[in-house]
Amino acid sequence: MTAAPAPVETPDTGTVTPAEGSSAPATGSVTSVADPATDRAHIARLYREHLSSGRSVLGTVLGGMLETASDGAWVFTEDGRRYLDFGGYGVFILGHRHPHVTAAVHRQVDTHPLAGRVFLEPVAALAAEALAARTPPGLDHVHFVNSGAEATEAGMKLARAHGHTALVSTLGGYHGKTLGALTATANPKYQQPFQPLLPDSTAIPYGDTAALEATLAGLGRRACVIVEPVQGEGGVRIPPPGHLAEVSRLCRTYGAFLIVDEIQTGLGRLGSWWGMDADAASGPPPQPDVLLVGKGLSGGVVPVAAMVATAAAYGPFSRDPYLHTSTFAASPIACAAALAAIEALDREGVVPRAKALGERLLAGVRAACAPYTGGLVREVRGRGLLIGLEFTEEQAVGELILELVGRGVLVNHSLNATRVLRLTPPAIVGEEEVRLFLTALTEALRVVATHVG
């Protein structure tokens, strides 16, 4: 692996110069070896003893760095080095610490961060109005939660409240790892230790409408179908054109309940406000009962997600506000972040920028991979700022991640597709950052090709 990038000035701490070849934090303007928060060995021990021994090992393999600051497209480590963040699992469409979002959150912290739940709370109402103004027609009723998995659980419970108790999901789909959401996340690796999961569930091939119709013909209106417009953790799997609209049509035909999971694909990630917009542009639009929103809704600052439903679907939750609740859901601080994130996406033209930037990056990644296509690289695919590099060998993904980290770039693997390296960069990166990434990728691929395949 190449040497780590040189230290730079961080947004909050100033320049810190590490000792040559040392794994301990360097002395500098802020940190010192006596500071337990920046002592790599100390933090690794705390992970082993209190968080996750496996995570501690993984952190050590990646170099043992501690991420202590972030700004825009960059993450900073305790020794003053910076890393271009093209990962973040789809959260940072606005980058890190977007000024409009952080300012809104600061104001909320200074006034009323958590609500007492006795009176009506205005920030949640304003955030719900802003989100409903941007969702597809008919999806106007918002139920805020704290995470994408919780949004999935809320959607599945709402379906059950209407009698749709037979779950239909797709192979490779990812909807979270809580017990109900895990039933829809059709990956035996994550499901097996927790069996039995929810009964009466079926997983069909992604993009296969014939398989869906056959399944729905047997289940009828008991069915609840959950599907992503593009599979993210499934390895950036893009369905045939019009697929989601056809799924919607089949659900209406057989009386099934439809949940469209846009936790990763929504809010500009695919170069449109919603992944389902691609189908709406070429024919009858998909008509889901429930839309799941998350990741980018946080503005990269405070965790928040939402289940958005039609009036008919939302009826049980609307009539009884205590039917499905959470202490921290729709907190003022989270809703302040969500409202500000939606405002920033709209006012700053982030969605069309994501489309243009995605086209530029996809072309650049394909050019960098071209010498290895048919050998080391099986395929490069993407839409907007969700791009997947599929390799012929699983080993290549791990080695490429290490090589990119050594060149100051962070990327992600795909949980349900171990041969796919996934890019989810922020929409705020400029041409200089694009060139830096493509140069790093080209160099990293050259090294990996000598070891793999």
Side-chain angles (χ1 to χ4, degrees):
M1 192 177 87
T2 59
V8 298
E9 186 171 315
T10 70
D12 295 317
T13 63
T15 302
V16 180
T17 305
E20 184 67 28
S22 173
S23 61
T27 57
S29 59
V30 173
T31 62
S32 71
V33 292
D35 183 356
T38 55
D39 184 321
R40 292 181 179 182
H42 177 67
I43 297 302
R45 179 178 63 81
L46 294 181
Y47 263 84
R48 287 193 303 273
E49 294 180 357
H50 303 296
L51 293 172
S52 165
S53 59
R55 186 69 181 82
S56 176
V57 171
L58 179 59
T60 301
V61 168
L62 290 171
M65 290 80 75
L66 310 177
E67 59 175 271
T68 56
S70 58
D71 187 57
W74 300 90
V75 169
F76 299 85
T77 52
E78 90 294 346
D79 57 5
R81 302 178 193 276
R82 71 174 186 173
Y83 295 80
L84 182 62
D85 191 0
F86 269 43
Y89 296 97
V91 170
F92 301 102
I93 188 73
L94 291 172
H96 294 265
R97 298 197 306 122
H98 187 282
H100 183 63
V101 182
T102 54
V105 170
H106 277 299
R107 287 194 300 271
Q108 198 62 47
V109 168
D110 289 339
T111 54
H112 189 51
L114 292 178
R117 305 283 183 182
V118 176
F119 304 122
L120 299 180
E121 193 282 306
V123 184
L126 294 172
E129 178 189 42
L131 181 55
R134 280 298 179 184
T135 52
L139 293 162
D140 298 322
H141 294 261
V142 180
H143 181 87
F144 285 113
V145 291
N146 304 292
S147 68
E150 290 179 60
T152 301
E153 295 285 350
M156 291 170 59
K157 283 184 68 176
L158 189 57
R160 285 182 164 237
H162 289 280
H164 303 279
T165 57
L167 181 65
V168 180
S169 60
T170 60
L171 298 171
Y174 187 91
H175 307 285
K177 293 196 182 104
T178 52
L179 201 63
L182 184 58
T183 305
T185 299
N187 185 335
K189 177 181 178 180
Y190 303 119
Q191 290 182 330
Q192 193 280 327
F194 307 104
Q195 298 282 5
L197 299 173
L198 295 183
D200 207 0
S201 63
T202 304
I204 62 173
Y206 183 65
D208 189 338
T209 51
L212 176 62
E213 182 162 22
T215 300
L216 293 182
L219 295 174
R221 73 168 312 276
R222 292 196 306 113
C224 168
V225 177
I226 182 167
V227 64
E228 299 159 276
V230 171
Q231 285 190 334
E233 295 289 356
V236 192
R237 297 289 178 185
I238 301 172
H243 171 68
L244 197 58
E246 180 64 7
V247 169
S248 177
R249 185 191 69 79
L250 288 172
C251 286
R252 291 196 306 276
T253 298
Y254 289 96
F257 193 95
L258 175 59
I259 301 174
V260 174
D261 182 347
E262 296 241 25
I263 291 167
Q264 183 164 176
T265 59
L267 297 173
R269 176 55 61 187
L270 299 187
S272 55
W273 273 94
W274 307 102
M276 70 176 77
D277 292 347
D279 282 9
S282 58
Q287 296 178 344
D289 298 286
V290 160
L291 172 69
L292 306 183
V293 188
K295 295 190 183 291
L297 189 63
S298 68
V301 178
V302 179
V304 62
M307 179 201 73
V308 189
T310 64
Y314 198 67
F317 281 17
S318 183
R319 289 189 295 273
D320 185 351
Y322 299 106
L323 191 62
H324 181 73
T325 59
S326 167
T327 299
F328 294 113
S331 68
I333 187 175
C335 289
L339 175 58
I342 295 165
E343 290 172 344
L345 288 165
D346 194 15
R347 296 173 184 175
E348 298 174 18
V350 172
V351 176
R353 176 168 174 75
K355 183 177 189 303
L357 180 60
E359 291 169 353
R360 163 80 171 93
L361 275 170
L362 185 59
V365 170
R366 282 176 169 158
C369 291
Y372 314 101
T373 302
L376 177 68
V377 178
R378 177 170 292 167
E379 185 182 16
V380 176
R381 51 186 177 264
R383 182 183 296 170
L385 294 176
L386 180 59
I387 298 172
L389 288 68
E390 184 174 358
F391 294 88
T392 53
E393 300 291 336
E394 184 177 332
Q395 176 189 352
V397 175
E399 292 208 13
L400 189 57
I401 288 173
L402 289 172
E403 289 295 331
L404 287 171
V405 168
R407 290 169 172 79
V409 176
L410 305 178
V411 295
N412 294 140
H413 65 293
S414 299
L415 289 175
N416 283 349
T418 55
R419 289 186 174 89
V420 179
L421 183 142
R422 189 156 43 102
L423 309 176
T424 52
I428 61 166
V429 298
E431 185 59 28
E432 181 179 350
E433 288 85 4
V434 170
R435 287 197 299 268
L436 185 155
F437 167 74
L438 293 176
T439 297
L441 178 63
T442 300
E443 294 172 353
L445 283 166
R446 188 180 303 123
V447 174
V448 172
T450 65
H451 300 160
V452 183

